[in-house]
Amino acid sequence: MASSPDKGRDRTIETGARHDAGLSDRPEIEHYTQRVADEELKQCLAAAGAVLIEGPRACGKTVTAQQEAASEVLLDVDRGAQDMIAVSPGLVLEGATPRLIDEWQTAPVIWNHVRRAVDARPGKGHFILTGSAVPPDDITRHSGAGRIVRLRLRPMSLFELGSSTGKVSLKAVLTGTPVRHPTADLSVHDLARLVCVGGWPGHLELSVEEALRVNRGYVDDICRADLQRVDGVRRDPDRVRRFLRSLARNVATCASLAAIARDVAGPEQASMTGHTARSYLTGLERLMVVEDQPPWAPHLRSRSRLQVSAKRHFVDPSIAAAALGAGPEHLLRDFSWFGLLFESVVIRDLRVYAQAMGARVCHYRDHTGLEVDAIVDVAPGRWAAFEIELGLSRIEGAVRSLLKFADRVDTSRCGEPAALGVIVDGGYGYVRPDGVSVIPLGALGP
């Protein structure tokens, strides 16, 4: 992000009135909370004819898109626009550009018309499409390659929420800048609240109790309607809920689908096949409410065998808490699960910051049991490894794991790590004599 406000400042910007030549009037947005993805959206519009912003429902796609859009059509609520698409889809694309087409997946036919319009018009940045679900594959829909670029939007990071100073920049860490930061304590009570409330923009003005109620409703919607909507398959809502609860219990672990299926069935329920479990997970992935963390495959000097299982994560750990009906007080009584959710919060934030520089966030695990929680891989030969720990007393063990891992990596082929770091809940940010950085989450930013 080109210019990021510090913690404590007003993190909103005023937006001026814009001409709207759309089929539906767009209300003027008085305040907007800046997102790390804002600059990326501008870059995408400058590079391609259309940008597709994807992300889970309620993560802020529409409002983010409206900061750049000059006109809009909201397909999920505008019945007239839906009727027009059936008769003359091209008319829906007419309007000042960039033209926002919100929830495009409700009328998938519009995809090919956007692609053709991009081909026919000179220049870049004609359309912004937003979608909270991936429609079924359709052989009549062109991939959009070379015309439509994708931008993933996730719930807000702690920096975007104003709960991190952002003074320890992930980008700077990956370029070798030493970590130095005064104490940035997030109390365990603050962390428990942040985990359970989540990074949803609509929660910014809600109390904790109100936010938890909305999150439980979010999970209810997934169980009752959303999963069926995305693939047309009718499922027992209670069974979907048990699947979500199993994922929540196994968050930030490499639990297999077979283990999750057994957990869903339990001693008294009908068994769940691997095929059924896969269909549930695929549906949740298309809703973009789960986002597993892929394994990293470096070249190794040792004979250790790499494990290839993904780590289970929701796009925001608040979904895991809501699926199990947990509030902040539950996390404070179960520090083991709290630690897993803390790891999931950090992975969410790392993904937001890493995406801004074209990086991906993976994990490492081998057959000896050695694990590294997060590998930020920017490009061949440029990467950093992080352990994530809730509790300063766990730093020493995390450092030993990182150094052991670094010794196994064949740096002649993978390159030297740009950084090794332990991300913790509080304390100071500094570089240890052994070269490992200690980074408080309340200081981490893009």
Side-chain angles (χ1 to χ4, degrees), residues 17 110 396 445:
I110 203 68
E396 291 300 330

Side-chain angles (χ1 to χ4, degrees), residues 172-229:
V173 169
L174 286 175
T175 57
T177 302
V179 172
R180 287 180 56 86
H181 195 277
T183 184
D185 287 321
L186 284 171
S187 71
V188 292
H189 293 85
D190 288 338
L191 280 171
R193 174 183 56 81
L194 289 165
V195 165
C196 293
V197 169
W200 309 101
H203 292 2
L204 292 174
E205 304 299 326
L206 299 183
S207 68
V208 173
E209 292 73 18
E210 290 169 336
L212 296 183
R213 187 176 298 111
V214 173
N215 290 347
R216 290 193 292 270
Y218 194 108
V219 170
D220 288 341
D221 288 344
I222 293 172
C223 298
R224 291 186 300 101
D226 288 355
L227 199 55
Q228 178 179 337
R229 174 173 56 85

